[in-house]
Amino acid sequence: MLRTPSPDGLRFAFGTLTVLPVKVTRWDRDAARGGMLCAPLAGLTVGVAAAAAGLLLLALGAGTLLAAVATAAVPAVLTRGLHLDGLADTADGLGSGKPAEDALRIMKQSDIGPFGVLTLLFTLLAQVAALAQAYDGSWARGALAAVVSATAARLALTTAARTGVPAARPEGLGAAVAGVVPAGGALAATAAVTLAGAAAGAYLGPYDALRTALAVVCAAAVAELLLCHCVRRFGGVTGDVFGGVAETAATTALVVLVLG
């Protein structure tokens, strides 16, 4: 039976997934379960802040490109760049072609290799380009894209922490949250975020409602593909893999939102 996340779960989500001054009082599996179920709420908060930064610049007379840069920068700031760092490390691990143990050792190194650099570069370029195109459509479309992408990114964390997905290492944040979310909870969270996205998009029209829902579904699907590949290559998930699936989901959502 799926239980409503407790205040400890909310503190876990905001305290571990953002830089907001929220004290995490419990680190046990129950708190982690609630925290990962609440991850989309943390994403919603990050997305609203990102949209606010972009809209502020637009109101001050800046162009859509600068607004897009600011919007893409806010999630990085509010997560201390951990998701981007995880994406880069995951790319280095996958790109190395090494066995799991060696790949995991590469991912733990403090430096970023060529695969990581290229992945970061093209990911951020894609995010900024998509956000700029969304803002070109209207301020509302840009704001919606910012909120939906950030929420979809954290939804990917919820699904990646579901039961049956093992940890690749016995230590670290990845091990602390791996397998804590019931499969039914992950499915319910996906449905809730999809429906909420459709409702938000409906304010811009029926087509936008459908496109926004599709953006969430596609983001979850592409993140799932990366997750499954990482589990096969590394034997499970790590904190870096969580960051990688989050950034992959965010970028996918943005791209889908500006197509058509």
Side-chain angles (χ1 to χ4, degrees), residues 90-91 93-98 100 162 165 221-237 241 245:
T90 299
L94 292 174
S96 70
K98 302 287 186 180
R162 70 182 182 273
V165 179
V222 175
E224 180 67 17
L225 289 175
L226 175 60
L227 174 68
C228 291
H229 183 53
C230 289
V231 170
R232 286 194 301 269
R233 283 283 286 108
F234 307 139
V237 293
V241 172
V245 298

Side-chain angles (χ1 to χ4, degrees), residues 42-141:
L44 176 64
T45 302
V46 170
V48 169
L55 295 179
L56 176 61
L57 283 175
L58 289 177
L60 293 174
T64 56
L65 180 58
L66 185 56
V69 171
T71 301
V74 167
V77 172
L78 291 181
T79 59
R80 296 190 182 93
L82 287 178
H83 292 166
L84 290 169
D85 179 67
L87 175 67
D89 287 340
T90 299
D92 281 333
L94 292 174
S96 70
K98 302 287 186 180
E101 185 177 347
D102 293 332
L104 288 171
R105 186 163 51 250
I106 289 171
M107 292 164 64
K108 286 192 70 173
Q109 295 174 358
S110 59
D111 59 334
I112 299 179
F115 290 106
V117 171
L118 289 172
T119 300
L120 278 180
L121 174 64
F122 288 118
T123 296
L124 290 172
L125 282 174
Q127 290 181 2
V128 170
L131 284 164
Q133 185 175 340
Y135 279 124
D136 280 336
S138 71
W139 66 265
R141 293 184 189 281

